[in-house]
Every structure is written in structure tokens, then in C-alpha cells.
Amino acid sequence: MNASNDRSLTIIGAGLAGALLATLLARKGWRVDVYEKRGDPRVKGYGGGRSINLALAERGRHALRQADADEAVMKQAVMMRGRMVHPRDGQPQLQRYGRDDSEVIWSVHRGDLNITLLDLAEQAGASLHFHRQLDTVDFQDRVATFIDDRDGSRHPIDFRSLVGADGAGSSLRAAMRLRTDLGERTDFLDHSYKELEIPPAADGGFQIEPNALHIWPRGHYMCIALPNDEKTFTVTLFLPNHGDPGFDTVHTPAQARALFERDFPDAVPLIPHLEEDWHRNPVGLLATLYLDRWYIDDRAVLLGDAAHAMVPFHGQGMNCAFEDCVALAEQLERHGERAEAFDAFQRERQPNARAIQEMALENYVEMRDKVDDAAFLLQRELERTLQERHPGRFVPHYTMVTFLRIPYRVALERSIVQRDLLVAATQGLERLDQVDWARVDAEVIRRLQPLEAEAR
């Protein structure tokens, strides 16, 4: 490759991460080509086949701000102040994510977000190529061949480096795997999901509180609902693959209605097309993807779900992928040699990806089992109090992950210590005024160093 190609890059996948990375690099003067197997969603409509709701947090918003995309995206976002927990018996209760409305997350529509980012990528100068499914990669000669799904025609292109932003089923990862051992392994969760919808109310507004993520926790399974800006809610039912209830025993729309009437009775009037949604929408699988190696010398690198897909229970998959985009763009600018940039990117991001993958799995147990548990609620109350007593030193887990940008790895390490403190301090107690404050304060100071100001 001659010198004129030194700042050229080929991205596989025009989804959220691919479009954002294209924008970031094109704005820095890179020549970026993006190849996408599907058609242009701005022409044919969004057909991602994935969950349509995403939770946007500070990590993701920071990345969007680097691409001057935050303002456009936030016009479509719906604030979620916390979890609205719907117990089997009793009234729903809001559990705030943070201290006030400065600490919230945002529900965004995947399709609308993707279209916004594609527009921005094109405006920045990136070239977008649709109906191009990656088929083969000749890494030796640096030739990638794509197939047009409309007529089966083959389209070889020369590349300097490939970036795989093509999701958990990455075609580039499959091509890389044929050349070298990536240490790939996939752990499937023994639960899956099904999506339904709460339509707008008769007056065109939301049927239930819009500024919350609604949860119906039921022990080993749960239902959640996230708001959309068109006044609907996307409802997701998470069930075990086997058992009662499970996806092997709840097959038909009639069985689904019976399940909802038994376990989620207050949700039934909200979902008038329950049977139709159940019949139309497929069961989605949940898995965690681990790779030991994310790149091949200077020829190819993976990011986002293509490198580290995770279960959705911390709402961080997109946010983590967006952090990847910023990190890769920075490493490419910092290093003259791409192999060095890709290696530095992996060393920076892989420990953090592993940490949020672990925390996402843990959060599923919290959401389905603990949010209406008395011991857990007492620990949450103590957590908030310790945050006030030790600002900058005791920082709640959710705050570190969602409202700050400290490395996920650091958030996990501190969360383990803090969870031990909370459990020990509330063991056998029923009320906060029973806590031994002198002992707890001493333990906080002994075991937790203050977070650096720039991290907060």
C-alpha cells in the first residue's frame, strides 16, 4: 500500500458502532469505507432484527459528544429516572438510579439512532456501501470480497485494514478465525427473551409512567418495559429456557396470556395485542462472547459485540461499544503503526469488556431476584447514606458504571469491596438506625481510596 492509503480504513458493519467509528475517523481526515450487508435503513426502513430499545448512559453520551452527535440523538431520547418495580402484590415503587435528575439514563430507539449516526457519518465524509455481505477475506493480498444479496454478484475490494463492527455474529471474526486462533468461546445463558409492546393510550399519551424502566421481578424470571418517544413501551419477557414457566412450556399465544394473567396481571390490560406479538416475534437468545485476541497484526481488528458481546442486563452493550470506538480512534491517531494501535486498543479495552460482561450477568440476578427484597433494599439505603457520608470515596456501583466513565475494571473491583461492606454492615438488621456507624465508617476509610477527581 502506498503512502496515500496510510489513513484509509474499511469498516464492516454500518450499525451503531460502525457508523459512530466512521464519523469519528472521517472527522479526523481518514478515508473511511463502510460495508453493510443490509439495505440502507434510511431508504427501506430499519430492519435490524434486534431489540429496538437501548439504554444510553454517560459513557455512550461522551462518545456521541466526540462526534457532535449527542444533540441530535437526545432529541429522540426518553429519560428514565430509575426502576419502577411492580411487585406481585402492592403498588409499583420507583427506585431511583441516582440522587436526582442529573443522574438518569435514556431510552433510545435503535433504528432511529442508527439512522442519525449514518447521516452524520456521511456528512463527515465516510462512504457507505449497502447490500454488501462480507464473504471471504484474503489477508495475504488484502482483498475482501462482498456479495450483493439482491443479485448474488461478487465485489472484491482492496483494503489497508479491516475493522469488524458487525455484531455478535461477525463475518469478519469468522474470517479471522480461519487464519488464526482467537481463543473464541461463547457462554449461552439458560434464559432467553421475547418482545411485546404496550401501545399509546387512547389520548395518544403513555399508558404508564414514561420516565422509568419498569420491572416485574418474579424470582428466576422477569418482565421489563422501556419507553419509546412515540409513546409506546417495548416489553421484554425473560424466561428460563426450561421449566415452569420456561420457553419449553410456554409455547402458544394462549399459554403466554395465561402466564401473564397469573404472574403479571397488571401488565395484561396494557398489552392488547399480546397474542399477536407473541406469535410474530421470535425468541431471542442471550449469550456472552469471549475472545483472547481481537486483532490480526495490522490487517484486522474487532470491536463492540463482534469482540465481546454481552447479555443486556446492565444496559451497557452499546455504551461499551461506543467507548471502544473512541478508544480505537485515539489509538490510531497516537500510533504510527497500526499493529501497535490495535494491540494498545486491545490491552486498554479487553479488561474493561471482561468486567462489564461479568457485571451484566450479575445484574440479571439483581433485577429478577432482589429489587423487591427487604435485605437488598436496606443495603441500597445504606449505600446512598455512605455516598453522602464519604463523597468521592464510597461511590455506588450503579453510579460508577452508568454516570461516570471510570474504567469498568475499576468499577468492578470497587463494587466487590463495597458489596462486602454493605452485606456485613446490614447482616441481621431491619432498619438503618441499627447500623454501627463508627465501625462502618472506619471500614470504608480503610478499604476504599478516594476516586481521583478527574474520574468523577
Side-chain angles (χ1 to χ4, degrees), residues 103-346:
E103 296 181 335
V104 298
I105 60 176
W106 302 87
S107 178
V108 294
H109 186 285
R110 181 189 294 271
D112 292 342
L113 175 57
N114 200 177
I115 288 170
T116 298
L117 293 177
L118 289 173
D119 284 341
L120 290 170
E122 261 189 346
Q123 292 166 17
S127 297
L128 308 180
H129 310 270
F130 296 97
H131 295 289
R132 292 292 185 268
Q133 167 70 54
L134 181 65
D135 184 40
T136 61
V137 180
D138 183 338
F139 288 100
Q140 182 66 35
D141 293 334
R142 299 185 195 250
V143 176
T145 301
F146 298 85
I147 295 178
D148 189 320
D149 65 334
R150 296 167 296 185
D151 58 15
S153 57
R154 299 175 64 81
H155 301 266
I157 62 106
D158 296 327
F159 67 86
R160 175 70 177 82
S161 300
L162 299 174
V163 178
D166 50 343
S170 171
S171 296
L172 179 58
R173 188 178 72 246
M176 293 168 64
R177 192 169 57 229
L178 295 175
R179 180 180 173 90
T180 191
D181 182 10
L182 302 177
E184 179 177 339
R185 55 207 180 278
T186 301
D187 290 346
F188 285 94
L189 198 63
D190 58 354
H191 290 61
S192 300
Y193 68 93
K194 172 87 76 164
E195 289 194 340
L196 311 167
E197 183 181 77
I198 296 175
D203 63 1
F206 287 101
Q207 288 202 56
I208 52 178
E209 168 59 47
N211 298 125
L213 187 157
H214 293 258
I215 302 181
W216 289 259
R218 298 298 183 261
H220 294 295
Y221 54 102
M222 70 175 182
C223 202
I224 67 172
L226 275 71
N228 299 304
D229 62 350
E230 64 268 25
K231 307 301 189 291
T232 64
F233 283 83
T234 299
V235 178
T236 308
L237 173 69
F238 296 94
L239 284 182
N241 294 327
H242 306 283
D244 182 17
F247 280 111
D248 62 338
T249 56
V250 182
H251 292 291
T252 68
Q255 291 169 334
R257 173 167 286 277
L259 170 67
F260 271 78
E261 289 178 345
R262 185 189 75 187
D263 291 342
F264 313 106
D266 62 323
V268 173
L270 305 173
I271 313 173
H273 306 297
L274 192 156
E275 286 91 345
E276 295 94 319
D277 290 347
W278 188 272
H279 176 73
R280 181 176 61 252
N281 297 333
V283 173
L285 300 179
L286 298 165
T288 304
L289 169 71
Y290 302 98
L291 298 180
D292 293 334
R293 187 174 183 83
W294 292 4
Y295 71 98
I296 296 178
D297 49 61
D298 64 343
R299 300 164 199 258
V301 66
L302 302 168
L303 57 71
D305 282 355
H308 50 70
M310 66 191 73
V311 294
F313 303 112
H314 223 309
Q316 286 293 307
M318 172 184 66
N319 296 285
C320 183
F322 282 0
E323 276 196 331
D324 283 355
C325 294
V326 173
L328 180 58
E330 290 177 348
Q331 296 292 0
L332 285 168
E333 289 289 290
R334 188 174 300 142
H335 295 275
E337 296 295 328
R338 299 202 187 185
E340 294 178 3
F342 293 165
D343 182 65
F345 167 70
Q346 177 180 300

Side-chain angles (χ1 to χ4, degrees), residues 95 366 369-384 419 421-432 435:
Q95 297 178 8
E366 177 176 312
D369 290 1
K370 297 182 179 180
V371 291
D372 58 352
D373 176 76
F376 172 79
L377 294 176
L378 181 61
Q379 290 166 22
R380 281 292 305 273
E381 190 178 355
L382 176 59
E383 183 180 55
R384 288 190 294 269
R419 183 166 55 238
L421 288 170
L422 294 172
V423 171
T426 57
Q427 191 74 38
L429 305 185
E430 295 181 354
R431 302 185 316 276
L432 205 60
V435 168

Side-chain angles (χ1 to χ4, degrees), residues 355-414:
I356 188 56
Q357 286 176 318
E358 180 177 337
M359 290 188 286
L361 288 165
E362 290 177 350
N363 211 48
Y364 183 35
V365 177
E366 177 176 312
M367 292 173 72
R368 76 189 192 200
D369 290 1
K370 297 182 179 180
V371 291
D372 58 352
D373 176 76
F376 172 79
L377 294 176
L378 181 61
Q379 290 166 22
R380 281 292 305 273
E381 190 178 355
L382 176 59
E383 183 180 55
R384 288 190 294 269
T385 304
L386 290 176
Q387 181 183 21
E388 295 171 358
R389 293 171 74 96
H390 302 279
R393 187 186 293 267
F394 194 103
V395 182
H397 165 79
Y398 199 86
T399 297
M400 289 190 288
V401 172
T402 308
F403 307 133
L404 304 180
R405 294 190 296 109
I406 65 173
Y408 287 121
R409 173 185 54 79
V410 175
L412 175 59
E413 291 169 354
R414 293 180 70 93

